[in-house]
Amino acid sequence: MSAVHLPEYAELHCLSNFSFQRGASHPEELVERAEALGYRALAITDECSLAGVVRAHVAARGRALGLIIGSELRCEDGLKLLLLASDRQGYGRLGALITRARRRSPKGGYRLQRDDLADGVPGCLALWLPEPGDVAGEDPGEGPGGQTLADGRWLAERFAGRLWLAVELLAEGDDAARLAVLQALGRQLGIPCVASGDVHMHVRRRRALQDVLVAIGHGVPVSRAGFALFASGERHLRRRDQLARRY
């Protein structure tokens, strides 16, 4: 039998253990696993940080895997997105943005204002990450404060031609509905959809450690962490055949 052709895949949303009390794998582990799975590229996108990039860069040297530098960011008003540097200028601007947000807050935190993104962060690509609750209704405009469509339009104006809508299907019981609503939202706003995985660990068996990290962050035992823990164990680097079926 001939081999089944699988589409190429690049993971664009991946946190390492440099995202404190969130990521459960070292950058080196993520790079090695992504190459073993035959990924085209891997983006290291720690939250408001570039701290994991150096180790990821060293681990990626000499490998066929492409390394993308980025960061996950959340504005104070709840707007959440990924910024991926596409060139040296973008890397510098992303670093300056992170520094500005960190300086506004005590050590360990950050404060990002929407106005910080007003220039569209030249040299960076953006993936919009609407929260699940923001797109839960049949109307893409529904959600807390009815802001989903307004947020999308605001981002589309500033990242014209450089904005995608992230679709993350994580086997949490609502994948089909979420996919339909996100596709409708993308069509309405003229924003293309792209698959990503909200990766927090390189392999599924790190789930227990990730649960412990989250519980520590909330100051409670794992048994009392409740909805702070992920509903599924899918936030690991998945095989390409699994991804092809899912998406």
Side-chain angles (χ1 to χ4, degrees):
M1 294 178 63
S2 60
V4 176
H5 174 73
L6 293 174
E8 291 186 314
Y9 183 74
E11 180 53 67
L12 301 176
H13 187 191
C14 181
L15 306 182
S16 76
N17 62 340
F18 283 90
S19 290
F20 188 53
Q21 295 175 343
R22 292 186 65 195
S25 293
H26 296 286
E28 302 94 325
E29 293 174 314
L30 293 161
V31 167
E32 291 168 7
R33 179 63 174 165
E35 183 189 46
L37 291 170
Y39 284 16
R40 178 73 176 271
L42 174 70
I44 298 295
T45 56
D46 285 309
E47 185 176 4
C48 199
S49 174
L50 298 174
V53 167
V54 173
R55 292 189 180 184
H57 174 71
V58 172
R61 265 187 208 154
R63 298 181 185 270
L65 180 77
L67 179 65
I68 301 169
I69 296 173
S71 184
E72 177 194 289
L73 299 161
R74 184 191 296 273
C75 295
E76 290 183 304
D77 62 5
L79 180 66
K80 186 177 178 182
L81 72 161
L82 302 171
L83 291 180
L84 307 177
S86 61
D87 54 27
R88 187 181 296 271
Q89 178 194 40
Y91 175 77
R93 288 184 179 272
L94 178 57
L97 178 68
I98 290 170
T99 299
R100 189 158 63 248
R102 289 287 184 184
R103 282 178 174 171
R104 291 194 186 115
S105 178
K107 186 176 181 180
Y110 70 97
R111 291 177 53 206
L112 183 69
Q113 298 166 359
R114 190 176 290 225
D115 286 348
D116 293 325
L117 306 172
D119 67 349
V121 196
C124 287
L125 311 178
L127 271 65
W128 179 28
L129 296 162
E131 296 289 3
D134 293 347
V135 295
E138 294 181 1
D139 177 359
E142 293 179 2
Q147 287 297 305
T148 304
L149 283 171
D151 286 346
R153 292 189 182 107
W154 190 89
L155 286 169
E157 288 174 1
R158 282 146 187 86
F159 293 91
R162 296 181 290 126
L163 176 66
W164 285 261
L165 179 56
V167 177
E168 301 186 329
L169 305 180
L170 299 164
E172 293 182 338
D174 62 350
D175 278 1
R178 180 166 177 78
L179 175 60
V181 172
L182 286 172
Q183 287 178 319
L185 180 62
R187 287 192 297 269
Q188 188 167 356
L189 293 170
I191 302 172
C193 293
V194 64
S196 59
D198 194 19
V199 171
H200 284 61
M201 61 205 90
H202 72 298
V203 290
R204 185 192 292 270
R205 62 179 175 270
R206 284 289 169 88
R207 169 73 186 276
L209 174 59
Q210 206 275 331
D211 285 351
V212 170
L213 294 172
V214 172
I216 291 171
H218 284 77
V220 298
V222 172
S223 60
R224 292 176 51 201
F227 290 113
L229 305 179
F230 290 132
S232 79
E234 292 297 290
R235 285 175 171 81
H236 60 94
L237 294 171
R238 291 174 283 182
R239 299 197 316 264
R240 288 165 60 209
D241 61 323
Q242 294 173 327
L243 291 165
R245 288 195 299 271
R246 175 81 53 192
Y247 290 98

